[in-house]
Amino acid sequence: MQRRFIMTALQLNAEIYRNLGIIAEDESMLERVAKYLRRVAKQMTDDPTCMTKEEYFAMLDRAEKGPRHRMLPNEDLTAFLKRMGHDL
């Protein structure tokens, strides 16, 4: 039976720093790791759905001021969208 080992954030940090210490001795490997980390960090920050807390609340404020539409009793989503002018 194989046991799964789940690392805590502290353990992961320790492992990363330990491995970086080994990699730091080889400048070309360190450059490769740095390039990879930049690419991963860029992917995380390029998400168009990410927004700051202030941007999120500003979006909610704008939505509250905009037009509101309600579904009619016993109306399904398809009928509602057609009534709103969407071509389905």
Side-chain angles (χ1 to χ4, degrees):
M1 179 177 188
Q2 183 180 3
R3 290 177 57 188
R4 291 185 68 187
F5 179 70
I6 299 174
M7 298 177 113
T8 66
L10 190 58
Q11 290 169 323
L12 283 171
N13 275 339
E15 181 183 8
I16 289 168
Y17 283 118
R18 222 178 1 262
N19 290 330
L20 278 176
I22 296 167
I23 292 169
E25 295 175 10
D26 183 342
E27 190 173 335
S28 65
M29 286 300 289
L30 192 58
E31 287 176 8
R32 287 175 60 190
V33 170
K35 183 178 177 181
Y36 175 74
L37 289 174
R38 279 192 295 274
R39 190 170 63 236
V40 170
K42 183 167 175 29
Q43 288 174 356
M44 291 180 68
T45 58
D46 282 351
D47 185 354
T49 62
C50 288
M51 62 180 75
T52 65
K53 186 176 172 180
E54 291 77 20
E55 290 170 329
Y56 176 74
F57 286 114
M59 178 190 66
L60 290 179
D61 289 340
R62 285 191 308 274
E64 285 179 350
K65 294 176 185 174
R68 296 182 184 171
H69 305 284
R70 294 184 189 257
M71 291 179 68
L72 300 174
N74 299 322
E75 182 178 36
D76 64 17
L77 184 57
T78 303
F80 171 74
L81 291 172
K82 285 181 180 178
R83 187 168 52 88
M84 291 296 109
H86 296 280
D87 187 27
L88 302 177

mmCIF file of all heavy atoms in Angstrom, residues 39-73:
data_model
loop_
_atom_site.group_PDB
_atom_site.id
_atom_site.type_symbol
_atom_site.label_atom_id
_atom_site.label_comp_id
_atom_site.label_asym_id
_atom_site.label_seq_id
_atom_site.Cartn_x
_atom_site.Cartn_y
_atom_site.Cartn_z
ATOM 1 N N ARG A 39 8.284 32.817 -16.360
ATOM 2 C CA ARG A 39 7.174 32.373 -17.214
ATOM 3 C C ARG A 39 5.960 31.964 -16.367
ATOM 4 O O ARG A 39 4.827 32.330 -16.682
ATOM 5 C CB ARG A 39 7.637 31.219 -18.100
ATOM 6 C CG ARG A 39 6.645 30.872 -19.173
ATOM 7 C CD ARG A 39 7.186 29.895 -20.207
ATOM 8 N NE ARG A 39 7.515 28.612 -19.612
ATOM 9 C CZ ARG A 39 8.719 28.030 -19.681
ATOM 10 N NH1 ARG A 39 9.704 28.635 -20.307
ATOM 11 N NH2 ARG A 39 8.932 26.866 -19.125
ATOM 12 N N VAL A 40 6.190 31.247 -15.282
ATOM 13 C CA VAL A 40 5.087 30.828 -14.407
ATOM 14 C C VAL A 40 4.438 32.042 -13.754
ATOM 15 O O VAL A 40 3.212 32.156 -13.703
ATOM 16 C CB VAL A 40 5.584 29.831 -13.338
ATOM 17 C CG1 VAL A 40 4.526 29.584 -12.288
ATOM 18 C CG2 VAL A 40 6.002 28.519 -13.991
ATOM 19 N N ALA A 41 5.262 32.979 -13.266
ATOM 20 C CA ALA A 41 4.722 34.179 -12.624
ATOM 21 C C ALA A 41 3.908 35.005 -13.617
ATOM 22 O O ALA A 41 2.851 35.539 -13.276
ATOM 23 C CB ALA A 41 5.857 35.014 -12.035
ATOM 24 N N LYS A 42 4.377 35.092 -14.869
ATOM 25 C CA LYS A 42 3.648 35.849 -15.886
ATOM 26 C C LYS A 42 2.297 35.209 -16.162
ATOM 27 O O LYS A 42 1.292 35.906 -16.308
ATOM 28 C CB LYS A 42 4.478 35.927 -17.164
ATOM 29 C CG LYS A 42 3.836 36.766 -18.257
ATOM 30 C CD LYS A 42 4.812 37.076 -19.359
ATOM 31 C CE LYS A 42 4.228 37.801 -20.532
ATOM 32 N NZ LYS A 42 3.120 38.645 -20.341
ATOM 33 N N GLN A 43 2.251 33.885 -16.231
ATOM 34 C CA GLN A 43 0.985 33.194 -16.454
ATOM 35 C C GLN A 43 0.000 33.500 -15.337
ATOM 36 O O GLN A 43 -1.197 33.654 -15.578
ATOM 37 C CB GLN A 43 1.201 31.684 -16.536
ATOM 38 C CG GLN A 43 1.873 31.218 -17.795
ATOM 39 C CD GLN A 43 2.199 29.733 -17.752
ATOM 40 O OE1 GLN A 43 1.994 29.061 -16.749
ATOM 41 N NE2 GLN A 43 2.717 29.220 -18.846
ATOM 42 N N MET A 44 0.491 33.600 -14.126
ATOM 43 C CA MET A 44 -0.397 33.861 -12.993
ATOM 44 C C MET A 44 -0.917 35.292 -13.009
ATOM 45 O O MET A 44 -2.028 35.548 -12.584
ATOM 46 C CB MET A 44 0.325 33.586 -11.678
ATOM 47 C CG MET A 44 0.614 32.113 -11.461
ATOM 48 S SD MET A 44 1.451 31.804 -9.914
ATOM 49 C CE MET A 44 0.142 32.217 -8.760
ATOM 50 N N THR A 45 -0.120 36.231 -13.505
ATOM 51 C CA THR A 45 -0.540 37.631 -13.487
ATOM 52 C C THR A 45 -1.266 38.036 -14.757
ATOM 53 O O THR A 45 -1.860 39.101 -14.800
ATOM 54 C CB THR A 45 0.664 38.562 -13.270
ATOM 55 O OG1 THR A 45 1.619 38.335 -14.312
ATOM 56 C CG2 THR A 45 1.315 38.307 -11.926
ATOM 57 N N ASP A 46 -1.226 37.208 -15.818
ATOM 58 C CA ASP A 46 -1.886 37.545 -17.079
ATOM 59 C C ASP A 46 -3.361 37.176 -17.103
ATOM 60 O O ASP A 46 -4.024 37.379 -18.100
ATOM 61 C CB ASP A 46 -1.186 36.845 -18.250
ATOM 62 C CG ASP A 46 0.098 37.536 -18.640
ATOM 63 O OD1 ASP A 46 0.361 38.638 -18.135
ATOM 64 O OD2 ASP A 46 0.849 36.961 -19.454
ATOM 65 N N ASP A 47 -3.876 36.625 -16.048
ATOM 66 C CA ASP A 47 -5.271 36.189 -16.022
ATOM 67 C C ASP A 47 -6.190 37.410 -16.082
ATOM 68 O O ASP A 47 -6.184 38.242 -15.189
ATOM 69 C CB ASP A 47 -5.541 35.385 -14.754
ATOM 70 C CG ASP A 47 -6.930 34.789 -14.705
ATOM 71 O OD1 ASP A 47 -7.744 35.095 -15.601
ATOM 72 O OD2 ASP A 47 -7.209 34.018 -13.781
ATOM 73 N N PRO A 48 -6.969 37.543 -17.160
ATOM 74 C CA PRO A 48 -7.828 38.721 -17.290
ATOM 75 C C PRO A 48 -8.959 38.765 -16.262
ATOM 76 O O PRO A 48 -9.583 39.794 -16.074
ATOM 77 C CB PRO A 48 -8.393 38.597 -18.711
ATOM 78 C CG PRO A 48 -8.328 37.140 -19.005
ATOM 79 C CD PRO A 48 -7.127 36.614 -18.263
ATOM 80 N N THR A 49 -9.220 37.652 -15.607
ATOM 81 C CA THR A 49 -10.279 37.642 -14.606
ATOM 82 C C THR A 49 -9.783 38.096 -13.244
ATOM 83 O O THR A 49 -10.587 38.309 -12.342
ATOM 84 C CB THR A 49 -10.904 36.238 -14.473
ATOM 85 O OG1 THR A 49 -9.892 35.325 -14.027
ATOM 86 C CG2 THR A 49 -11.495 35.773 -15.779
ATOM 87 N N CYS A 50 -8.474 38.234 -13.096
ATOM 88 C CA CYS A 50 -7.926 38.698 -11.810
ATOM 89 C C CYS A 50 -8.167 40.191 -11.670
ATOM 90 O O CYS A 50 -8.016 40.950 -12.616
ATOM 91 C CB CYS A 50 -6.427 38.414 -11.730
ATOM 92 S SG CYS A 50 -6.039 36.686 -11.525
ATOM 93 N N MET A 51 -8.551 40.598 -10.503
ATOM 94 C CA MET A 51 -8.742 42.013 -10.239
ATOM 95 C C MET A 51 -8.486 42.281 -8.765
ATOM 96 O O MET A 51 -8.570 41.367 -7.938
ATOM 97 C CB MET A 51 -10.147 42.469 -10.647
ATOM 98 C CG MET A 51 -11.280 41.814 -9.910
ATOM 99 S SD MET A 51 -12.910 42.387 -10.432
ATOM 100 C CE MET A 51 -13.106 41.567 -11.968
ATOM 101 N N THR A 52 -8.185 43.531 -8.471
ATOM 102 C CA THR A 52 -7.952 43.903 -7.082
ATOM 103 C C THR A 52 -9.297 43.993 -6.363
ATOM 104 O O THR A 52 -10.360 44.019 -6.997
ATOM 105 C CB THR A 52 -7.247 45.264 -6.985
ATOM 106 O OG1 THR A 52 -8.122 46.275 -7.498
ATOM 107 C CG2 THR A 52 -5.925 45.260 -7.736
ATOM 108 N N LYS A 53 -9.221 44.058 -5.075
ATOM 109 C CA LYS A 53 -10.431 44.192 -4.253
ATOM 110 C C LYS A 53 -11.187 45.466 -4.640
ATOM 111 O O LYS A 53 -12.408 45.467 -4.763
ATOM 112 C CB LYS A 53 -10.008 44.226 -2.786
ATOM 113 C CG LYS A 53 -11.110 44.218 -1.792
ATOM 114 C CD LYS A 53 -10.497 44.161 -0.396
ATOM 115 C CE LYS A 53 -11.509 44.339 0.688
ATOM 116 N NZ LYS A 53 -10.918 44.293 2.022
ATOM 117 N N GLU A 54 -10.438 46.546 -4.869
ATOM 118 C CA GLU A 54 -11.055 47.824 -5.235
ATOM 119 C C GLU A 54 -11.742 47.729 -6.590
ATOM 120 O O GLU A 54 -12.840 48.251 -6.778
ATOM 121 C CB GLU A 54 -9.999 48.937 -5.254
ATOM 122 C CG GLU A 54 -9.461 49.317 -3.893
ATOM 123 C CD GLU A 54 -8.438 48.321 -3.345
ATOM 124 O OE1 GLU A 54 -7.847 47.530 -4.126
ATOM 125 O OE2 GLU A 54 -8.234 48.308 -2.119
ATOM 126 N N GLU A 55 -11.085 47.061 -7.564
ATOM 127 C CA GLU A 55 -11.693 46.897 -8.885
ATOM 128 C C GLU A 55 -12.968 46.072 -8.804
ATOM 129 O O GLU A 55 -13.954 46.366 -9.474
ATOM 130 C CB GLU A 55 -10.704 46.219 -9.832
ATOM 131 C CG GLU A 55 -9.521 47.076 -10.217
ATOM 132 C CD GLU A 55 -8.460 46.290 -10.963
ATOM 133 O OE1 GLU A 55 -8.301 45.069 -10.708
ATOM 134 O OE2 GLU A 55 -7.781 46.900 -11.804
ATOM 135 N N TYR A 56 -12.948 45.045 -7.957
ATOM 136 C CA TYR A 56 -14.116 44.182 -7.804
ATOM 137 C C TYR A 56 -15.309 44.968 -7.262
ATOM 138 O O TYR A 56 -16.410 44.902 -7.807
ATOM 139 C CB TYR A 56 -13.784 43.009 -6.879
ATOM 140 C CG TYR A 56 -14.956 42.127 -6.581
ATOM 141 C CD1 TYR A 56 -15.451 41.248 -7.528
ATOM 142 C CD2 TYR A 56 -15.598 42.183 -5.342
ATOM 143 C CE1 TYR A 56 -16.543 40.441 -7.270
ATOM 144 C CE2 TYR A 56 -16.690 41.372 -5.070
ATOM 145 C CZ TYR A 56 -17.154 40.506 -6.038
ATOM 146 O OH TYR A 56 -18.236 39.718 -5.766
ATOM 147 N N PHE A 57 -15.084 45.752 -6.201
ATOM 148 C CA PHE A 57 -16.190 46.508 -5.612
ATOM 149 C C PHE A 57 -16.654 47.630 -6.538
ATOM 150 O O PHE A 57 -17.843 47.949 -6.583
ATOM 151 C CB PHE A 57 -15.816 47.028 -4.230
ATOM 152 C CG PHE A 57 -15.811 45.951 -3.193
ATOM 153 C CD1 PHE A 57 -14.640 45.563 -2.564
ATOM 154 C CD2 PHE A 57 -16.986 45.285 -2.856
ATOM 155 C CE1 PHE A 57 -14.641 44.546 -1.622
ATOM 156 C CE2 PHE A 57 -16.991 44.274 -1.907
ATOM 157 C CZ PHE A 57 -15.816 43.904 -1.293
ATOM 158 N N ALA A 58 -15.740 48.209 -7.319
ATOM 159 C CA ALA A 58 -16.135 49.227 -8.306
ATOM 160 C C ALA A 58 -17.019 48.594 -9.370
ATOM 161 O O ALA A 58 -18.010 49.193 -9.808
ATOM 162 C CB ALA A 58 -14.898 49.861 -8.935
ATOM 163 N N MET A 59 -16.692 47.365 -9.782
ATOM 164 C CA MET A 59 -17.507 46.656 -10.772
ATOM 165 C C MET A 59 -18.908 46.413 -10.213
ATOM 166 O O MET A 59 -19.908 46.590 -10.914
ATOM 167 C CB MET A 59 -16.848 45.330 -11.127
ATOM 168 C CG MET A 59 -17.641 44.491 -12.114
ATOM 169 S SD MET A 59 -17.014 42.819 -12.307
ATOM 170 C CE MET A 59 -17.328 42.123 -10.687
ATOM 171 N N LEU A 60 -19.002 46.017 -8.939
ATOM 172 C CA LEU A 60 -20.310 45.791 -8.331
ATOM 173 C C LEU A 60 -21.118 47.081 -8.265
ATOM 174 O O LEU A 60 -22.324 47.074 -8.528
ATOM 175 C CB LEU A 60 -20.146 45.207 -6.924
ATOM 176 C CG LEU A 60 -19.636 43.775 -6.839
ATOM 177 C CD1 LEU A 60 -19.506 43.352 -5.380
ATOM 178 C CD2 LEU A 60 -20.532 42.818 -7.583
ATOM 179 N N ASP A 61 -20.449 48.189 -7.923
ATOM 180 C CA ASP A 61 -21.135 49.485 -7.869
ATOM 181 C C ASP A 61 -21.687 49.869 -9.241
ATOM 182 O O ASP A 61 -22.824 50.335 -9.354
ATOM 183 C CB ASP A 61 -20.190 50.576 -7.370
ATOM 184 C CG ASP A 61 -19.868 50.434 -5.884
ATOM 185 O OD1 ASP A 61 -20.636 49.746 -5.159
ATOM 186 O OD2 ASP A 61 -18.837 50.989 -5.450
ATOM 187 N N ARG A 62 -20.897 49.668 -10.301
ATOM 188 C CA ARG A 62 -21.365 49.980 -11.659
ATOM 189 C C ARG A 62 -22.549 49.097 -12.029
ATOM 190 O O ARG A 62 -23.519 49.556 -12.640
ATOM 191 C CB ARG A 62 -20.236 49.789 -12.673
ATOM 192 C CG ARG A 62 -19.187 50.869 -12.670
ATOM 193 C CD ARG A 62 -18.260 50.759 -13.872
ATOM 194 N NE ARG A 62 -17.665 49.446 -14.053
ATOM 195 C CZ ARG A 62 -16.542 49.012 -13.465
ATOM 196 N NH1 ARG A 62 -15.892 49.822 -12.628
ATOM 197 N NH2 ARG A 62 -16.069 47.804 -13.715
ATOM 198 N N ALA A 63 -22.500 47.840 -11.657
ATOM 199 C CA ALA A 63 -23.585 46.911 -11.991
ATOM 200 C C ALA A 63 -24.881 47.299 -11.280
ATOM 201 O O ALA A 63 -25.969 47.173 -11.852
ATOM 202 C CB ALA A 63 -23.186 45.485 -11.623
ATOM 203 N N GLU A 64 -24.776 47.769 -10.054
ATOM 204 C CA GLU A 64 -25.982 48.167 -9.306
ATOM 205 C C GLU A 64 -26.648 49.383 -9.929
ATOM 206 O O GLU A 64 -27.857 49.544 -9.840
ATOM 207 C CB GLU A 64 -25.629 48.458 -7.844
ATOM 208 C CG GLU A 64 -25.371 47.213 -7.035
ATOM 209 C CD GLU A 64 -25.007 47.504 -5.587
ATOM 210 O OE1 GLU A 64 -24.772 48.696 -5.242
ATOM 211 O OE2 GLU A 64 -24.949 46.551 -4.804
ATOM 212 N N LYS A 65 -25.882 50.243 -10.575
ATOM 213 C CA LYS A 65 -26.433 51.451 -11.195
ATOM 214 C C LYS A 65 -27.006 51.183 -12.582
ATOM 215 O O LYS A 65 -27.769 51.966 -13.094
ATOM 216 C CB LYS A 65 -25.342 52.525 -11.286
ATOM 217 C CG LYS A 65 -24.877 53.022 -9.938
ATOM 218 C CD LYS A 65 -23.741 53.991 -10.081
ATOM 219 C CE LYS A 65 -23.227 54.382 -8.706
ATOM 220 N NZ LYS A 65 -22.031 55.206 -8.767
ATOM 221 N N GLY A 66 -26.607 50.063 -13.182
ATOM 222 C CA GLY A 66 -27.030 49.741 -14.546
ATOM 223 C C GLY A 66 -28.439 49.192 -14.595
ATOM 224 O O GLY A 66 -29.123 49.056 -13.581
ATOM 225 N N PRO A 67 -28.888 48.862 -15.809
ATOM 226 C CA PRO A 67 -30.247 48.317 -15.962
ATOM 227 C C PRO A 67 -30.347 46.928 -15.330
ATOM 228 O O PRO A 67 -29.382 46.178 -15.292
ATOM 229 C CB PRO A 67 -30.431 48.242 -17.474
ATOM 230 C CG PRO A 67 -29.056 48.190 -18.021
ATOM 231 C CD PRO A 67 -28.184 48.935 -17.062
ATOM 232 N N ARG A 68 -31.536 46.633 -14.837
ATOM 233 C CA ARG A 68 -31.778 45.327 -14.213
ATOM 234 C C ARG A 68 -32.862 44.612 -14.991
ATOM 235 O O ARG A 68 -33.822 45.226 -15.454
ATOM 236 C CB ARG A 68 -32.209 45.501 -12.764
ATOM 237 C CG ARG A 68 -31.124 46.123 -11.922
ATOM 238 C CD ARG A 68 -31.545 46.236 -10.503
ATOM 239 N NE ARG A 68 -30.495 46.932 -9.768
ATOM 240 C CZ ARG A 68 -30.614 47.333 -8.548
ATOM 241 N NH1 ARG A 68 -31.737 47.134 -7.904
ATOM 242 N NH2 ARG A 68 -29.621 47.936 -7.945
ATOM 243 N N HIS A 69 -32.716 43.336 -15.123
ATOM 244 C CA HIS A 69 -33.688 42.522 -15.828
ATOM 245 C C HIS A 69 -34.065 41.346 -14.934
ATOM 246 O O HIS A 69 -33.208 40.760 -14.276
ATOM 247 C CB HIS A 69 -33.113 41.999 -17.151
ATOM 248 C CG HIS A 69 -32.593 43.084 -18.039
ATOM 249 N ND1 HIS A 69 -33.416 43.906 -18.768
ATOM 250 C CD2 HIS A 69 -31.337 43.502 -18.307
ATOM 251 C CE1 HIS A 69 -32.697 44.774 -19.443
ATOM 252 N NE2 HIS A 69 -31.422 44.551 -19.170
ATOM 253 N N ARG A 70 -35.323 41.023 -14.927
ATOM 254 C CA ARG A 70 -35.797 39.893 -14.129
ATOM 255 C C ARG A 70 -36.500 38.885 -15.022
ATOM 256 O O ARG A 70 -37.151 39.247 -15.991
ATOM 257 C CB ARG A 70 -36.771 40.359 -13.052
ATOM 258 C CG ARG A 70 -36.130 41.223 -12.003
ATOM 259 C CD ARG A 70 -37.144 41.562 -10.924
ATOM 260 N NE ARG A 70 -36.607 42.559 -10.032
ATOM 261 C CZ ARG A 70 -36.135 42.297 -8.830
ATOM 262 N NH1 ARG A 70 -36.161 41.074 -8.380
ATOM 263 N NH2 ARG A 70 -35.663 43.250 -8.071
ATOM 264 N N MET A 71 -36.344 37.650 -14.645
ATOM 265 C CA MET A 71 -37.072 36.612 -15.360
ATOM 266 C C MET A 71 -38.524 36.646 -14.906
ATOM 267 O O MET A 71 -38.814 36.940 -13.747
ATOM 268 C CB MET A 71 -36.460 35.242 -15.077
ATOM 269 C CG MET A 71 -35.081 35.066 -15.695
ATOM 270 S SD MET A 71 -34.319 33.471 -15.354
ATOM 271 C CE MET A 71 -35.380 32.376 -16.270
ATOM 272 N N LEU A 72 -39.426 36.373 -15.809
ATOM 273 C CA LEU A 72 -40.842 36.325 -15.481
ATOM 274 C C LEU A 72 -41.161 35.010 -14.766
ATOM 275 O O LEU A 72 -40.414 34.029 -14.920
ATOM 276 C CB LEU A 72 -41.671 36.446 -16.765
ATOM 277 C CG LEU A 72 -41.453 37.731 -17.568
ATOM 278 C CD1 LEU A 72 -42.214 37.663 -18.888
ATOM 279 C CD2 LEU A 72 -41.857 38.947 -16.764
ATOM 280 N N PRO A 73 -42.248 34.977 -14.012
ATOM 281 C CA PRO A 73 -42.623 33.714 -13.361
ATOM 282 C C PRO A 73 -42.800 32.617 -14.409
ATOM 283 O O PRO A 73 -43.355 32.848 -15.486
ATOM 284 C CB PRO A 73 -43.953 34.032 -12.672
ATOM 285 C CG PRO A 73 -43.972 35.514 -12.530
ATOM 286 C CD PRO A 73 -43.172 36.057 -13.678
#
